[in-house]
Structures are given as C-alpha cells and as structure tokens.
Amino acid sequence: MQAPNPTTLTYTHKPHLHLQPLPFHFPLSPIPIPCRRLPNSTLRLKSHSFFSLLLSQNNNTPSRFACRALPEPFSIKIPVSDRHILVETGHIGRQASASVTATDGETIVYTSVCLADTPSEPSDFFPLSVFYQERFSAAGRTSGGFFKREGRTKDHEVLICRLIDRPLRPTMLKGFYHETQILSWVLSYDGLHSPDALAITAAGIAVALSEVPNAKTIAGVRIGLVGDKFIINPTTKEMEDSKLDLLLAGTDDAILMIEGYCDFLPEEKLLEAVQIGQDAVRGICNEVESLVKKCGKPKMFDAIKLPPPELYKHVEDIIGNELVQVLQIRSKIPRKKALTLLEDKVIDILSEKGYISSDTTPVVNETISDLLEDEDEDEEVVVDGEVDEGDVHIKPTSRKTTPLLFSEVDVKLVFKEVTSKYLRRCIVENGRRSDGRTLEEIRPINSRCGLLPRAHGSALFTRGETQSLAVATLGDRQMAQRIDNLVGVDDWKRFYLQYTFPPSCVGEVGRIGGPSRREIGHGMLAERALEPVLPSEDDFPYTVRVESTITESNGSSSMASVCGGCLALQDAGVPIKSHIAGIAMGMVLDTKEFGGDGSPIILSDITGSEDASGDMDFKVAGNEDGVTAFQMDIKVAGITLPIMRKALLQAKDGRKHILAEMLKCSPPPSRALSKHAPLIHVMKVRSEKIHVIIGSGGKKIKSIIEETGVDGIDTEEDGTVKITARDLLSLEKATAIISNLTMVPSVGDIYRDCEIKSITNYGAFVEIAPGREGLCHVSELSSNYIAKPEDAFKVGDRVDVKLIEVNEKGQLRLSRRALLPDTENSSDSKDSAKENVGGQKTEQSKDNKASTTKGRSSSKSSLSENSPQKKFIRKLVAPNKDNSETNKEKEKKSGSQPLSSISSKDGNSLVNGEANIG
C-alpha cells in the first residue's frame, strides 16, 4: 500500500498574522497533531517536534480553524502624578494569553494571564487564582535560607495577592468557568517605588489584553498624605512621613476596592483622598483602553454558559412562599438548616423527578382510528351492554406533559441567586433584616476580660452570633517577628496580631493547618487598626502578640478581633492611647427592582448572609475622633463617592455605640501587668562598653544569663541594654553585674576587699569588680621589697587597692602600697577617697540613668514609691549601716577624710563615689 503524499504548504506573509515572509516551503506531516479548539475560531497547533508551526487558513483546513499569531511588541507610557508608568507587551511571555511588564522608576513587575483549555465544573465563584512573588534577585540579593531560593509565599506577598484578586473578581462575567491564573513577579526593585500598586495595574492591563471576558479595565494607585498634601504613588521615603497609606483600585467610573491605614484621620479627609485616587485611576484606565483597541485579543464571550432563564421562575414557583418564611428565622443555624431543606427540595423536583409547570395546557391524543375515520361519518352510539365488534373505540385521554429536568449545578446556582434576591427584597420592602433589626441597629454586645488566669491578658468579645477570644502575650525582643524583605535591612515587628478562623466557629468540619489567605488578610487588618494606639518602645519596651481565635462567626469576625484585641491589650497592662472599635457595613445598591426609590440602602453591622447576598463589605475601625483602618470590597460594578460618604458617616455612629458598650465590659480589663508577665529592666551604658557585655563570641553575655537565671539580655548599638527576667532577684543580679562591667574607673578610686585572681612574675591581677581586673605590680604590692609576688600572696587572697593609672588601652594599674600606713597620709592628702563596697558605685552619673518597667505598676500612672522599681533602685544605692560605721571608724583611726560608702550583701566595697558606671 502506497503511503499518501504529504500536503505541501508555502508560507506567505499576511499583515494580520505579524509573520515574516519565509522564502522556503516544507511538507506538512499527515500525522494528526493534538490541538485545542478555541471559541473565537482560532487554533494553536503544536508540533510534536522541537518547533511549532502557525498555519494560516487554506482550502485543506476547516473554516473553523485559523492561525493564532504571536502578539506584536507594543509599549505605552501612562502619566501618573509627576512621572510615567511604562507598559510593554509582546516582548516577554508571548505564549500566554496576555503578558505585560510595568515599569515605575527602576521597579519592574511582570504579569501574565493564562486560562485553561476546557471549562471546569460550574460553581458560584469565578475560578481565578493569583500568585505574586518578590524575587530577591530584583534587589541584587539571594535568599538567606539553606536552599538559596524563594520558598513559600510570605505574608506580605499574600496580602498583595489579595489586593490584585479583590478588584478583578467583580469585573469577571458570570458563566465563564475556564480556570484563570494570574502570575506576577517583581523582576527589579529600586527601593523607592513600591511594587504593590504597580502589580494591581499590571494585572488589570494583562486581563484587559487577554481572552478572558471581563466588564471593564481596572487599575490601582497608592495615596499618601505628607503634611496637608496628597501624593499619588508616593515613594518609600515619602511614605515614612505620610499619615495615610491608602491603596485604591477601580475602573474609569467606579471604585472596586479600598484598603488603607491612617492615624485617626477624619472621614472627610479620607473621602478627599479617595476622590484623588479615583481621578488617577480614571486616567490610567483611559490610557489602557487605547492599548486594548490596538493589541487586545478577542474575548471568549461564546464560552459563557448561564443557567436557563426559565429556571429562575421555576425555582420561585416551587419555594417562593416558603423561602420568605425561612429568611425571617432570626438564628443562623436554624435558618441555615431550613435553607438546606429547601435546596434539597428544589434539586429533587427540578433535577430528579422533573418539574411540570402549572401554565402548561393539556393536549388530546389522537388515535390511529381517529385519523382513519371519515370527517363526515356520523358517530355511532353503542348502547350500554352491547359490543360493537366492527369498530374499535378508544376513550380520548389527555397527553402527559413531559417533565422539565435541569442540571443540579444550574439548580444550585439559581437557588442561591433567588435566595439572595428574596433577602434583599425583604430588606427593601420591610425595612428590617432577617434577625429583626433595623438598617442601622447594632447586634447585642457582651464582653469580659481576665477569663484566662495564666495568660498575660485575655478578653472574650461577643456581638450577636460573632465571638472572638483574644489573648495578649508580652515578651522581649526575642519574641519579635522578623521580616525578610527586598531591601535587605532586617525589620522587626514588636506588635503583631494573628487571626484564626477554625471550621468549628460555623459548626462545620474542615481542614486544620497553616493560615489561609483570608486569615492572613483579616489578621493584618485588625493589626493595623490597633497599631496607632500602642505606646512607643521607649515607654513600653515589650513585644506584644495578640491572638484572635474566632469561636463563633456570623459576619464581621475581623472587626470583632479589633474590639477583642483592644480589650485584651488593656487587660495585659499595655498603656494604649485610646479604645478602638470596628464595624462592618453592607449595602443594597439597586432598590428599584424591589419597589424602592432607587437610592442605595446602607446596613450597619452586617451578618454573614447579608455579606454574601449584599453588594458591599465595608469595614471601618477607629475611635470617636477618626479612622485607623478601613477596607472595602465591592461585588457589583462599583460605588460612587456619595454612597461611600453615607457609609462612612453611618459607620462612625456605629463605632460610637460599640465603644460605649465596650466600656461596660464585666469584669473590666485589669490595666496592670500580669504577675505572670516578664520583668524588663532598661539601662543605658556607654556605647563603647557594649562589647564588654557581649564578650568574645557572646561568651560573657551567655555566662551572665546562666549565672543569674534571667530570660535574656538584649543590647543595642546606642548603649541601651534590656534585661528580661521572671523574678526580681535574678533581675537585680544581672543588673549589678552589667553595671560593674561597664563602669568607668577614675584614677584615685579605692577598692576594698578585692580578690586576687592570678599571680605572675611581675605582679598580681586583682578583680576590682565582676569581670574587671587590674594589674598590681610587684613593686606596688607592699612598702617593703618583695622578690616574687607568690612569696607574700596567693590566688584567692583579698586586698585593698587603689587605682593609680588607666592607660590608652583602658588597662588598669593598681597599687596596694599606696594604702599602707607609711604612705596613707600622703595619698589621702592628694585624693579625697570615697568608698564603694563590692564593686558597687556610690551614685550614678547622668549618663547611667536606667528606666525599669515592672510588672505590678499601673499602665497610665507613674510608679509609686512602694512599687518594685523604686525598691529595686533603693537596693542598689542604699548604704549598709554596719559597714558604713566600720568604715567611719577606720577613717577616724587613719586620719583620712570622711568617706561615703555603699555596701553589697557580701560586704565588698567600692570607694570613690565619683566612679562612673556606663
């Protein structure tokens, strides 16, 4: 059998294909090549060899197939504020549905959009996934981990993934079930231009250029407030002085997403910032539209599959009246179970048994005999009891209507939409919600503190059927959270809030593992809401961790975390500046559909069903004076500034009510440090003495920790030393050792009862304070001649010495001979000695002021005279009466000047109160 001749195709250049003319031709393989059918009548053929061929339409190719050409390189500069954003496409990632690179300064973000060839199972959400990564190579760095490559997604990268996803999802058309993936990488970072807002814009442009059907193009900007001036896309340096950090995304005529943090800004200031941001977004979107017209791909509108329109009416006919009654059940769990029963009923009728509409008119069946019967023939009547053997008469019967059957997936989708529609209708028509509340009414609030005796601070905040168990934990710097970023500078967070949403809080069974993206996002929102009220590190040197575990959930659990976290901080003794409360707002945008006047309805303190069925989820946190954090997600085309103004003002009234209820907390917060919290003593030493505390390889600081039993010792380059301990005794020991280590001896100081640590041929090394030794030369050991030091002294002997010299290297030269009787008069006439006992100083210099944070003091008032801090200080400086009298008698006998002394517990003394420590 002869093999078929291969078909030959000569390539010619066609302008719309963007292909270069090829001067040669080659045969096409008759072997079938796997390909995918594209809805927009295009086909991408992939060769099974090492290259791919793009085939143009010809006589041998079916008309539904066409060539898919590579995109033509194109770039555009978009003006944003005082600079431009460069957008390029067609250079990188040409096999993706769309890909762009966006450049701001020297920061470059690459974003691609791809979609699956076949649609997935229909569901009630758009199958969109977003991945964002900041590569260390963008800043000329490598990962600090063992594998030297980027690992799992960091928390701040997850937050940016959410910032990209949230504004894009409302613009996606319903019924499109091809899985869509957006990948975004930071390829270059200059340290000035943040990549997050740039990534939102790049993703919006990539989706607009791709085949994914969407309603409108989106873009994102950041707004800062430096002084009284709003700045669009401020640099990182400008953000250091900014009072506002606002990220806004939207279309040319509506706002889709807002997330911002500020320092108690009033609502009107926020609205002004939103207006400026919306104008900037509108300008970007208009520029992008011109780019889409030039190089955008046809949208896959024919791939959209919606449920049959008549299915909506059938669902309403079956359960309409029952659904109205079920939606009026006030408790969440009974209402949820009743809705599940209704859904099962609808699925059983429409997907299994079949539905017969009541509007269907019966039709009479015609028999074969009727068809054969002559129209003019009179009907023969058969008397009862007689049988007509010649004709067969069949009694006319009604034809059965064919039951209507629909797919279970479509029925579930329509049931959810109908339920949402009825819920909105009840709100508009009755002015009340499912739980009986009015539009602005807040659910009942109950809170209590101190329910966990061993925790440093705890609070249980309950609002309706939403409940948060917040726990605050205090610690030292070792408990701080380290953040690895592109800049390469270690960033430590001394306050962080972690949010947990277990499946039990909604009465379900689910996976327990690492935090989800939702949990990370909600935790960050609550954390940023509370951060402005925390004291500075100088005033409160603790690291603070707050855990919010949602034990019940029916809407607004993140705002419950804000309220519970605020109470837990107070119960832990953190001196916060003011109370903070949070509230979630909802909205019904289109009211004309349900007989309203068309103006949107704003709902205060929304529940879970109102969040799912409503058009907006707007969270606002702050106090009576201003806002600290806010987040808005829109599920429809968008909202305007007047709607947002109404929502902000209504949220302010709700916050005031919640703050008043929080003040009724019973039992109230303790507002004092727990007895189980660690003690932190902060002291200041000279910066050049830090290495003395640390020692070679950290040996000295480790030995101090082991010797005293403190939890940790943290040192800073400016000379700040923080000692963390669980009890006062170990704290005192560590403080005394560090004070002695860092003291600055001066010539003329006299040290009593000091131990000889070692002996050499030329003298003895005497420890004048723990860790501080000086050389007493053999000539200074005695007034008489000594050939060898070991002839008169041995290791462990205790002697009195005087400091006679400090050389350039800081080495100490001591003399015992200067204190002997034959030289005592002369030495005393030259120096006015002041005794110090056991290496302790008489009085601290101004440079050695130490601040101590103790665990029993009030967070808002200064420490009283009876507080542990005052007692601790007095223990350091109070003289020992017995030793003082002994020293005075010695001075009288020797005829020297009167000395002031401070004694330690073991009787060791350090003379000369002018010796500076630190």
Side-chain angles (χ1 to χ4, degrees):
M1 180 177 177
Q2 185 179 1
N5 294 328
T7 304
T8 302
L9 174 66
T10 303
Y11 270 72
T12 57
H13 174 64
K14 291 186 179 182
H16 69 280
L17 294 178
H18 310 298
L19 296 175
Q20 297 297 327
L22 299 178
F24 56 88
H25 65 275
F26 47 87
L28 293 178
S29 171
I31 303 175
I33 302 175
C35 59
R36 74 168 182 172
R37 171 76 167 88
L38 297 180
N40 56 356
S41 300
T42 62
L43 175 68
R44 181 173 66 187
L45 300 180
K46 292 186 177 180
S47 172
H48 55 281
S49 61
F50 61 91
F51 60 91
S52 299
L53 302 178
L54 294 177
L55 305 181
S56 61
Q57 189 173 359
N58 56 71
N59 295 333
N60 296 328
T61 306
S63 60
R64 66 179 182 272
F65 296 137
C67 172
R68 178 173 180 176
L70 295 177
E72 180 183 1
F74 195 87
S75 63
I76 184 174
K77 284 188 176 182
I78 302 176
V80 180
S81 186
D82 57 348
R83 58 183 186 270
H84 289 78
I85 293 177
L86 175 64
V87 178
E88 299 174 284
T89 184
H91 295 275
I92 306 177
R94 295 175 297 172
Q95 296 186 36
S97 179
S99 62
V100 299
T101 56
T103 305
D104 185 10
E106 292 183 348
T107 297
I108 301 176
V109 175
Y110 165 69
T111 302
S112 64
V113 177
C114 290
L115 61 155
D117 294 341
T118 58
S120 56
E121 285 294 325
S123 60
D124 57 353
F125 67 96
F126 183 74
L128 172 67
S129 60
V130 180
F131 175 80
Y132 169 90
Q133 187 179 66
E134 296 177 352
R135 298 195 167 179
F136 288 102
S137 58
R141 298 180 57 222
T142 58
S143 175
F146 177 78
F147 295 101
K148 298 303 177 186
R149 67 179 300 168
E150 285 73 13
R152 70 177 184 88
T153 306
K154 304 178 183 66
D155 284 0
H156 75 278
E157 292 174 336
V158 169
L159 297 174
I160 297 177
C161 287
R162 287 171 53 85
L163 292 176
I164 297 173
D165 182 285
R166 284 158 48 196
L168 278 175
R169 195 170 291 275
T171 65
M172 301 300 182
L173 300 182
K174 291 183 178 180
F176 186 76
Y177 301 117
H178 289 259
E179 185 177 355
T180 305
Q181 186 179 55
I182 298 176
L183 305 180
S184 185
W185 288 284
V186 179
L187 302 182
S188 177
Y189 180 60
D190 58 7
L192 288 176
H193 305 91
S194 298
D196 46 6
L198 189 64
I200 298 174
T201 301
I205 297 174
V207 171
L209 295 175
S210 71
E211 300 159 301
V212 180
N214 66 322
K216 282 192 174 184
T217 304
I218 73 155
V221 295
R222 170 179 264 109
I223 306 298
L225 177 61
V226 179
D228 293 329
K229 180 182 178 182
F230 289 101
I231 303 176
I232 301 174
N233 285 349
T235 63
T236 54
K237 290 185 178 180
E238 291 172 330
M239 284 302 298
E240 293 176 358
D241 301 324
S242 177
K243 302 176 183 177
L244 172 67
D245 182 9
L246 169 65
L247 269 169
L248 182 144
T251 63
D252 57 351
D253 59 355
I255 303 167
L256 294 176
M257 186 273 297
I258 290 177
E259 182 154 337
Y261 312 100
C262 50
D263 192 6
F264 301 103
L265 286 182
E267 283 75 6
E268 291 300 327
K269 207 70 174 177
L270 293 180
L271 291 171
E272 186 179 351
V274 171
Q275 178 65 64
I276 294 174
Q278 175 62 20
D279 294 341
V281 167
R282 183 183 298 110
I284 297 175
C285 291
N286 292 336
E287 294 289 338
V288 174
E289 286 299 327
S290 62
L291 177 65
V292 173
K293 291 179 181 178
K294 293 180 180 179
C295 56
K297 293 182 179 179
K299 299 295 183 180
M300 297 173 58
F301 293 111
D302 56 346
I304 296 177
K305 296 181 180 180
L306 296 173
E310 64 272 15
L311 184 55
Y312 292 87
K313 184 177 184 303
H314 298 334
V315 173
E316 292 183 12
D317 291 342
I318 295 173
I319 60 164
N321 296 331
E322 295 179 77
L323 186 58
V324 173
Q325 298 176 0
V326 168
L327 290 177
Q328 294 176 357
I329 300 176
R330 298 195 175 189
S331 299
K332 173 186 174 181
I333 298 300
R335 182 172 63 249
K336 181 180 178 181
K337 292 182 178 179
L339 286 174
T340 302
L341 293 176
L342 284 182
E343 185 181 23
D344 294 339
K345 177 182 177 181
V346 173
I347 293 174
D348 181 60
I349 294 175
L350 293 175
S351 298
E352 297 178 8
K353 295 179 179 180
Y355 175 70
I356 300 176
S357 175
S358 58
D359 297 337
T360 304
T361 57
V363 179
V364 178
N365 290 328
E366 292 183 315
T367 65
I368 298 177
S369 302
D370 294 334
L371 295 175
L372 297 176
E373 186 178 4
D374 187 80
E375 295 180 0
D376 297 334
E377 184 179 355
D378 295 335
E379 182 179 359
E380 184 177 356
V381 179
V382 179
V383 183
D384 293 342
E386 298 182 359
V387 177
D388 187 354
E389 299 178 356
D391 296 327
V392 178
H393 294 271
I394 301 175
K395 186 178 180 180
T397 58
S398 299
R399 185 174 62 187
K400 293 183 179 180
T401 305
T402 304
L404 301 176
L405 293 174
F406 301 90
S407 69
E408 183 176 342
V409 174
D410 287 343
V411 174
K412 287 183 176 180
L413 292 175
V414 172
F415 176 81
K416 182 177 181 180
E417 293 187 28
V418 171
T419 302
S420 175
K421 174 183 176 181
Y422 272 61
L423 178 65
R424 296 149 65 92
R425 175 184 293 174
C426 292
I427 294 174
V428 175
E429 292 179 352
N430 304 328
R432 289 188 175 271
R433 300 185 254 176
S434 295
D435 53 6
R437 288 183 294 147
T438 61
L439 304 180
E440 300 182 9
E441 188 176 351
I442 310 298
R443 289 173 288 179
I445 294 175
N446 179 37
S447 55
R448 51 181 295 204
C449 289
L451 65 160
L452 303 179
R454 297 291 298 188
H456 299 165
S458 59
L460 183 67
F461 178 84
T462 306
R463 178 167 52 198
E465 294 176 306
T466 298
Q467 188 179 75
S468 168
L469 175 62
V471 180
T473 306
L474 307 180
D476 57 2
R477 189 179 179 184
Q478 301 297 327
M479 203 180 79
Q481 186 178 26
R482 182 178 179 269
I483 301 176
D484 198 2
N485 50 39
L486 287 178
V487 181
V489 179
D490 288 341
D491 190 10
W492 297 86
K493 289 174 62 174
R494 56 180 295 264
F495 170 68
Y496 48 96
L497 188 147
Q498 295 170 338
Y499 169 98
T500 305
F501 191 89
S504 60
C505 69
V506 290
E508 297 178 356
V509 176
R511 182 188 66 88
I512 295 294
S516 65
R517 291 189 172 190
R518 178 181 178 274
E519 289 175 318
I520 293 174
H522 281 32
M524 179 56 66
L525 177 63
E527 175 184 314
R528 297 291 295 269
L530 293 172
E531 194 171 14
V533 300
L534 291 178
S536 64
E537 189 173 3
D538 294 336
D539 297 332
F540 194 75
Y542 287 92
T543 295
V544 183
R545 178 197 182 200
V546 175
E547 300 170 84
S548 175
T549 303
I550 305 303
T551 51
E552 296 181 24
S553 178
N554 188 16
S556 188
S557 58
S558 61
M559 295 297 97
S561 299
V562 173
C563 301
C566 179
L567 293 173
L569 288 174
Q570 296 179 73
D571 191 55
V574 180
I576 61 175
K577 300 174 184 177
S578 66
H579 289 76
I580 297 294
I583 187 172
M585 313 296 292
M587 179 181 66
V588 178
L589 184 61
D590 185 11
T591 57
K592 283 186 177 180
E593 181 183 359
F594 311 113
D597 58 0
S599 59
I601 293 179
I602 306 297
L603 307 176
S604 296
D605 185 25
I606 59 176
T607 61
S609 59
E610 293 165 348
D611 183 7
S613 302
D615 299 324
M616 178 184 73
D617 182 13
F618 190 14
K619 303 180 180 71
V620 187
N623 60 5
E624 301 93 336
D625 301 324
V627 176
T628 58
F630 51 97
Q631 182 186 89
M632 183 184 72
D633 292 315
I634 299 299
K635 304 170 186 177
V636 290
I639 66 171
T640 58
L641 280 177
I643 298 176
M644 188 175 176
R645 176 178 284 104
K646 181 180 179 181
L648 276 172
L649 296 179
Q650 189 168 322
K652 183 177 182 179
D653 296 335
R655 285 201 319 273
K656 291 181 179 179
H657 172 78
I658 297 171
L659 288 169
E661 293 296 317
M662 289 171 62
L663 294 176
K664 302 176 184 178
C665 177
S666 178
S670 65
R671 291 185 170 84
L673 290 179
S674 167
K675 61 181 180 180
H676 303 295
L679 307 176
I680 296 183
H681 176 66
V682 183
M683 58 188 301
K684 196 79 171 179
V685 301
R686 293 190 178 183
S687 57
E688 61 270 16
K689 295 293 182 180
I690 291 295
H691 72 280
V692 178
I693 302 174
I694 299 174
S696 177
K699 292 181 179 179
K700 190 62 184 178
I701 197 169
K702 291 178 181 178
S703 65
I704 298 175
I705 295 175
E706 293 176 359
E707 179 182 350
T708 60
V710 296
D711 290 345
I713 301 174
D714 296 323
T715 60
E716 299 178 9
E717 295 181 356
D718 62 350
T720 301
V721 180
K722 297 180 181 177
I723 308 172
T724 307
R726 292 289 172 179
D727 57 272
L728 187 60
L729 181 60
S730 60
L731 191 67
E732 290 178 351
K733 291 180 179 179
T735 303
I737 293 175
I738 294 177
S739 298
N740 293 328
L741 281 175
T742 57
M743 72 176 184
V744 181
S746 57
V747 175
D749 289 349
I750 299 175
Y751 303 91
R752 300 288 186 184
D753 199 22
C754 299
E755 182 181 358
I756 298 177
K757 286 293 185 180
S758 61
I759 297 176
T760 63
N761 295 331
Y762 50 85
F765 284 92
V766 182
E767 185 182 50
I768 61 173
R772 296 301 303 273
E773 297 181 4
L775 173 63
C776 186
H777 194 265
V778 63
S779 61
E780 298 292 340
L781 284 173
S782 176
S783 57
N784 302 322
Y785 173 77
I786 299 179
K788 295 180 180 181
E790 55 267 23
D791 294 341
F793 301 95
K794 64 180 182 297
V795 175
D797 288 350
R798 292 187 173 274
V799 295
D800 298 340
V801 292
K802 180 179 181 180
L803 180 61
I804 58 176
E805 182 184 354
V806 180
N807 62 17
E808 297 178 354
K809 297 181 179 181
Q811 296 173 335
L812 309 180
R813 185 184 174 192
L814 306 174
S815 175
R816 177 177 177 271
R817 184 169 60 90
L819 298 179
L820 295 178
D822 57 344
T823 57
E824 188 174 7
N825 293 334
S826 61
S827 61
D828 290 340
S829 62
K830 294 179 180 179
D831 304 290
S832 59
K834 298 179 181 180
E835 287 197 16
N836 298 284
V837 180
Q840 302 292 334
K841 63 178 185 176
T842 303
E843 56 185 359
Q844 296 179 338
S845 65
K846 294 181 179 180
D847 294 336
N848 190 35
K849 291 182 179 180
S851 61
T852 307
T853 305
K854 289 296 165 189
R856 321 295 172 257
S857 61
S858 172
S859 60
K860 292 186 177 181
S861 62
S862 60
L863 295 172
S864 63
E865 288 295 324
N866 295 326
S867 67
Q869 180 181 13
K870 293 293 184 179
K871 294 179 180 179
F872 178 43
I873 295 175
R874 284 199 295 270
K875 287 182 181 180
L876 285 180
V877 301
N880 185 294
K881 295 181 179 180
D882 297 335
N883 288 333
S884 297
E885 293 176 359
T886 304
N887 291 331
K888 288 179 181 179
E889 292 177 359
K890 291 182 179 180
E891 294 300 332
K892 289 179 180 178
K893 293 179 181 178
S894 61
S896 61
Q897 298 292 333
L899 302 176
S900 62
S901 67
I902 298 177
S903 300
S904 65
K905 295 178 181 178
D906 59 1
N908 293 342
S909 301
L910 167 64
V911 182
N912 189 351
E914 296 180 355
N916 296 323
I917 298 179

